[in-house]
Amino acid sequence: MRMLKESLMDTEFVRKRQTGPRLCLAALVAWIFLSAPVFAAPPRVLVLNDANEPPFTTVTGDGYLDIIAREAFRRAGVELKLVKLPAERALLDANAGIGDGDLTRIAGLEKQYPNLVRVPEKLVDWDFAAFSKNRTIRSNWEGVRQRAVGHIKGWKIYEQKMAGAEDIIAVNDSEQLFRLLALDRIEVALYSRWMGLALIQRQGMKEVHILKPPLATHEMFIYLHKKHAALAPKIASALRALKAEGFYDRAYREKLLPYAGKSPP
């Protein structure tokens, strides 16, 4: 009997010795887990194609649309990265899923490019304008169609409006476009109001003027590839909030008005 009791006591002692380290190890793991700092998952990055130029977007990321779009995407829970591409390629790549979308396009492109989803809140109102050395040219579609005209490939509104014109040339970028104008190879350059004003100021082209009024004013939208369709309403909500908060007005006064000969207050 005595031997049986001693055997039972020895067995219990061994069990306690085996259980003790396991409990200590579990406690140590729990302590490490609870005391470790909590790291938030990094924001998802969306890469949008961008065919804009200063003052809308810049290489340093401080243009008018740079700061607006970046803040809207941040509020939607994603980080925005812009990649500069020629206008035509930017659109084709976005539709093909090379990148995650396109920063600025007119409404209705989703009919022609079915893989793109439009964010249902405008990013900006865009003045499509004509530039020329000749101030007397009538600033309407029919007036410019009668002249030697140039525009950038991939700008769909100009491709449509100038279809069938007798003297029309399409180039790859704005520098080529305005070089043709400076050399009198064309009479009219079709471009964006703000980007055109910034370019002629940057290039010191004092003989080139914007024709008034604008040929057209359209709302411009962000387009996402359809794989990111769930983000579209979130970005739209963020854009509406930025407008209501005065964010747009502050950016306009700081980034655009100086090119109209005015200074921000």
Side-chain angles (χ1 to χ4, degrees), residues 17-91:
R17 289 188 61 186
Q18 292 175 340
T19 305
R22 288 200 297 269
L23 290 173
C24 291
L25 179 60
L28 178 62
V29 170
W31 179 81
I32 292 174
F33 176 79
L34 292 174
S35 61
V38 177
F39 296 100
R44 184 160 42 126
V45 178
L46 262 64
V47 180
L48 264 60
N49 299 332
D50 172 36
N52 296 292
E53 294 181 356
F56 279 160
T57 60
T58 69
V59 294
T60 54
D62 60 352
Y64 176 68
L65 296 183
D66 283 314
I67 59 178
I68 290 173
R70 187 168 59 243
E71 177 62 15
F73 275 63
R74 186 192 68 80
R75 294 187 183 196
V78 294
E79 180 182 341
L80 173 63
K81 179 180 178 182
L82 297 178
V83 174
K84 294 288 185 182
L85 286 176
E88 182 72 11
R89 181 184 164 193
L91 187 56

Side-chain angles (χ1 to χ4, degrees), residues 6 15 17 20 31 36 50 55 63 67 69 90 95 107 153 167 208 212-213 242 246-247 249:
E6 290 177 350
R15 185 182 298 114
R17 289 188 61 186
W31 179 81
D50 172 36
I67 59 178
N95 187 63
K153 296 176 184 176
D167 196 349
V208 176
K212 298 179 181 180
L242 290 176
F247 191 98
D249 290 337

